[in-house]
Amino acid sequence: MKCCYCQKPIIKNLTIKELVQQKKSVELCWECAKLFTPLSIENRCDGCQKSLLKSESKSTHSQKTFCTDCLYWQERYPTYDFCHQSFFKYDEAMQTWFQQYKFIGDIRLAGTFAKQWQSLPKRFPDYRFCPIPLSNERLAQRGFNQVSQMLKVSGVTFQLLLKRVKHHSAQAQHSRAKRLAMPQPFALCVDPEQIKQCKILLIDDVYTTGQTLFHAASCLAEHQPTKIRTFSLAR
């Protein structure tokens, strides 16, 4: 077995189940695993898991504390039930990984965080998992949807409920103000009856301003799902 990131051999005692499934298994070696920082729940925004600074944290009521970003979104989407979660901190190590996987296009890295993605069905039972779609232009350029590919390699069932009808240049090329001002890029691509009274988990790679996920959520919310939650690999 090799590390799915650095490709170095992983030496460990395998169980019978692991021996049988060895060809399909993907795993990080110990050295690579410790590169990535899991998000803690301490001193975090209850809406998006952003690390809170004393100067910016504000409470909407006695039991929850929201960052200034989430307070902004609550003004724009007053009926939306805020709850975003992520696995890891978007730090230098994660940026390096994304550069190799997403921008250079090393699709072999899609299984790097398979163990984490495989935990989603237990964390969100009875939810439909919907990855954020790419535009046709971006898909042709990159060759794969980075979120769908991670879920596929991890063996996590998902469904494409949305399509991107407007192509924008990469988010990293825009200032924060321009990201927040971007128009709705999504449209529903299934019969509305398929999502009515359903629980939906929208999944993206990175949560930055939240604009992409809020656009996607608002598009779905028009068709009366029971609940919408959002999730990303990194925050």
Side-chain angles (χ1 to χ4, degrees):
M1 181 185 298
K2 291 183 178 180
C3 172
C4 55
Y5 190 16
C6 70
Q7 300 301 310
K8 292 180 181 178
I10 297 176
I11 300 174
K12 57 180 288 189
N13 293 324
L14 299 176
T15 65
I16 294 178
K17 182 178 180 180
E18 287 174 325
L19 285 170
V20 172
Q21 298 178 342
Q22 189 172 358
K23 291 184 179 180
K24 298 181 179 180
S25 64
V26 284
E27 189 170 342
L28 281 173
C29 68
W30 180 80
E31 290 185 351
C32 287
K34 69 179 183 180
L35 292 174
F36 305 104
T37 307
L39 280 181
S40 67
I41 60 174
E42 296 181 359
N43 198 34
R44 294 273 171 184
C45 170
D46 289 315
C48 69
Q49 287 193 299
K50 179 182 179 181
S51 179
L52 289 172
L53 300 175
K54 290 183 179 180
S55 60
E56 71 167 343
S57 61
K58 298 181 180 180
S59 297
T60 56
H61 55 76
S62 60
Q63 294 183 348
K64 288 190 176 182
T65 303
F66 295 99
C67 66
T68 52
D69 288 349
C70 283
L71 292 178
Y72 167 81
W73 290 121
Q74 286 174 347
E75 290 181 358
R76 290 188 60 181
Y77 301 96
T79 62
Y80 183 70
D81 182 17
F82 288 75
C83 187
H84 179 82
Q85 297 180 48
S86 303
F87 289 125
F88 297 102
K89 182 179 180 180
Y90 188 63
D91 54 14
E92 184 176 352
M94 185 60 73
Q95 291 177 40
T96 299
W97 181 86
F98 269 113
Q99 177 65 27
Q100 186 173 345
Y101 171 58
K102 181 177 176 179
F103 299 110
I104 295 178
D106 190 348
I107 198 171
R108 298 173 301 172
L109 299 184
T112 304
F113 305 105
K115 185 177 296 185
Q116 284 77 21
W117 290 120
Q118 289 164 0
S119 71
L120 283 189
K122 291 184 178 179
R123 295 177 65 167
F124 296 92
D126 303 321
Y127 274 75
R128 292 190 180 186
F129 297 160
C130 174
I132 294 296
L134 299 180
S135 65
N136 291 335
E137 292 88 344
R138 180 74 67 236
L139 189 60
Q141 179 188 52
R142 188 167 294 157
F144 62 96
N145 180 315
Q146 67 274 10
V147 178
S148 298
Q149 190 65 27
M150 286 190 288
L151 296 176
K152 181 179 179 180
V153 171
S154 303
V156 176
T157 301
F158 62 88
Q159 183 178 6
L160 296 177
L161 304 175
L162 299 170
K163 60 182 177 180
R164 191 181 286 263
V165 293
K166 293 182 180 179
H167 173 71
H168 300 307
S169 54
Q171 292 271 13
Q173 298 177 13
H174 297 287
S175 67
R176 178 180 179 80
K178 287 186 177 180
R179 292 182 190 183
L180 294 175
M182 284 183 175
Q184 170 66 270
F186 302 116
L188 196 68
C189 68
V190 296
D191 188 325
E193 290 297 316
Q194 291 188 31
I195 65 171
K196 190 174 182 179
Q197 303 303 312
C198 290
K199 296 179 181 179
I200 300 171
L201 184 70
L202 287 165
I203 306 174
D204 206 358
D205 51 1
V206 181
Y207 184 109
T208 49
T209 64
Q211 178 69 88
T212 299
L213 286 167
F214 277 103
H215 273 320
S218 64
C219 186
L220 294 172
E222 298 176 7
H223 305 288
Q224 302 178 322
T226 303
K227 188 176 291 185
I228 301 173
R229 291 287 182 263
T230 60
F231 206 98
S232 62
L233 176 64
R235 171 67 173 100

